[in-house]
Amino acid sequence: MIRKFFSVFSLVCLVLIGQGTSFAHVQKAAIATIEPNDRTGTIEIVHRFSQHDAEHAAHKFGGTSDSIISSPEVQENFARHVVESFGLATLSGEELKLEEIGFEFDRGYIWVYQEAPMIEGLKGLIVSYSALQDMWPEQINTVNVELDGTVQTLSFTGKITQHKVVFDDANNSKHTHKGSSHSHSH
């Protein structure tokens, strides 16, 4: 599912890049996906940033545009920033424990991976995301959430760093999610 989404997204990007050289500059945009992994019983979060944007932001992470590619320490600082700028909570405000899985550079992008335990009967999420917005107020962070069989797209721009997404009960009931059940006090 993630591969299909990124294949389509990559094709659109290639078409746009072919439209002119203005796309060679800092894009100030990131995309993330939130999907279930039925095999592991977790929620997978995948963040994607262009290498070009990371090169321009490298000084924020103790490096130079060249060191974001060559320095594992600068790369780790970048990934840590992404992880620290992202959060998930239930609709009642209970934060989900996110685990950093890792990061990698591949084909001009920086990928940062996280996961959280799936919660039985999850009705929705509060998603927080502010990566690079303190550096570039015009940064656009897009998150595609697909936990109920439909894709809901959230856009984080300017001072908007939090959105609520509510899942469709009809679609959500067709998924069997493994994991612990949490009780919520209202």
Side-chain angles (χ1 to χ4, degrees):
M1 184 61 78
I2 291 173
R3 285 184 182 159
K4 181 173 87 173
F5 170 77
F6 284 119
S7 294
V8 171
F9 183 77
S10 297
L11 179 62
V12 170
C13 287
L14 287 173
V15 169
L16 290 174
I17 288 170
Q19 298 297 312
T21 58
S22 65
F23 288 98
H25 300 289
V26 179
Q27 295 174 9
K28 299 177 184 164
I31 193 159
T33 59
I34 301 173
E35 295 183 320
N37 182 328
D38 292 329
R39 183 181 52 78
T40 62
T42 60
I43 297 171
E44 290 183 345
I45 302 103
V46 178
H47 306 269
R48 189 186 84 163
F49 292 81
S50 76
Q51 179 178 320
H52 193 74
D53 283 2
E55 289 170 352
H56 285 272
H59 69 277
K60 177 180 174 67
F61 309 106
T64 65
S65 60
D66 291 334
S67 69
I68 195 76
I69 299 166
S70 62
S71 169
E73 181 181 341
V74 176
Q75 293 170 6
E76 187 173 322
N77 290 344
F78 182 89
R80 187 176 313 112
H81 169 76
V82 172
V83 166
E84 290 173 356
S85 71
F86 183 81
L88 296 176
T90 64
L91 293 177
S92 64
E94 181 183 343
E95 288 187 30
L96 274 66
K97 183 179 183 314
L98 299 172
E99 182 179 339
E100 183 178 350
I101 302 302
F103 62 91
E104 65 180 332
F105 276 74
D106 187 39
R107 299 182 188 141
Y109 295 99
I110 299 173
W111 303 84
V112 180
Y113 305 101
Q114 293 178 279
E115 69 178 13
M118 181 58 75
I119 297 175
E120 184 96 20
L122 189 62
K123 301 290 185 196
L125 289 170
I126 298 170
V127 182
S128 303
Y129 203 21
S130 62
L132 299 179
Q133 288 179 336
D134 59 338
M135 182 175 183
W136 297 315
E138 63 275 19
Q139 172 77 19
I140 300 171
N141 296 322
T142 302
V143 178
N144 290 314
V145 182
E146 187 178 355
L147 290 176
D148 67 348
T150 63
V151 176
Q152 297 186 53
T153 300
L154 310 174
S155 185
F156 299 81
T157 59
K159 296 185 188 275
I160 299 171
T161 59
Q162 191 173 80
H163 282 289
K164 183 187 297 187
V165 61
V166 178
F167 302 138
D168 180 8
D169 284 333
N171 287 328
N172 203 23
S173 64
K174 70 182 181 182
H175 291 289
T176 324
H177 298 297
K178 300 175 186 167
S180 59
S181 177
H182 298 292
S183 61
H184 306 289
S185 57
H186 297 278

